[in-house]
Amino acid sequence: MAASLRKAGIRVTKQRIALMQVLAEADDHPDAFELHERARAVEPSVSLATVYRTLSTLEEGGVVHRHSFEGGGARFETTHEEHHDHILDIDSGAVIEFQSDKIEELQEAIARELGYEVVHHRLELYCRKIP
Ligand SMILES: [Zn+2]
């Protein structure tokens, strides 16, 4: 945790360590409020302001990804090694990760046909569970 903070050029404090810890454990793409709740369970002195500030700095440092999914506030996850895209369950709000070589290749091919190379992309599928 401390190493991730230093990598992002952030001074290591116990509040920030607590936030990094809950971020690393989270697999549900929590928002700032949820992260605050969880971080407070680890370190009661964590304020919401610290959560917001630290998230911004971690994002700038490339340690955390901010997602602006439709119909809600920003949600966060630590930067994964592997690229992945997201399915959003529009009923439950659940975020499901997936990875498809087929989609990746198709995107590269489309960009190339248009004279571009893909530098970065985000793909979000807004879905409803099939009953
Ligand atoms: Zn994700």
Side-chain angles (χ1 to χ4, degrees):
M1 303 302 141
S4 299
L5 290 169
R6 286 193 202 98
K7 183 183 151 204
I10 304 172
R11 199 164 53 86
V12 178
T13 66
K14 58 185 178 183
Q15 290 85 359
R16 288 168 179 162
I17 294 274
L19 179 60
M20 279 306 296
Q21 194 182 315
V22 297
L23 262 168
E25 284 164 7
D27 56 4
D28 59 343
H29 307 72
D31 64 21
F33 293 105
E34 288 162 339
L35 285 168
H36 180 223
E37 291 270 291
R38 293 176 203 177
R40 257 198 330 198
V42 179
E43 174 50 55
S45 65
V46 179
S47 70
L48 186 57
T50 296
V51 170
Y52 277 122
R53 228 175 313 117
T54 307
L55 283 172
S56 293
T57 317
L58 289 171
E59 191 192 357
E60 284 162 26
V63 178
V64 161
H65 267 156
R66 174 190 301 262
H67 295 289
S68 304
F69 298 132
E70 283 172 21
R75 298 171 69 150
F76 299 87
E77 70 178 322
T78 49
T79 313
H80 294 233
E81 296 288 313
E82 296 280 317
H83 168 76
H84 64 271
D85 295 308
H86 296 100
I87 283 182
L88 288 101
D89 184 318
I90 58 173
D91 294 316
S92 72
V95 181
I96 296 110
E97 299 184 341
F98 71 92
Q99 205 279 333
S100 163
D101 290 339
K102 255 191 245 175
I103 290 176
E104 300 299 322
E105 283 160 22
L106 185 57
Q107 289 176 140
E108 300 281 348
I110 291 167
R112 214 174 313 120
E113 266 170 42
L114 297 168
Y116 284 93
E117 64 174 335
V118 178
V119 176
H120 166 74
H121 83 268
R122 284 185 175 191
L123 178 64
E124 295 159 14
L125 306 179
Y126 292 83
C127 298
R128 177 164 281 152
K129 205 154 205 166
I130 299 163

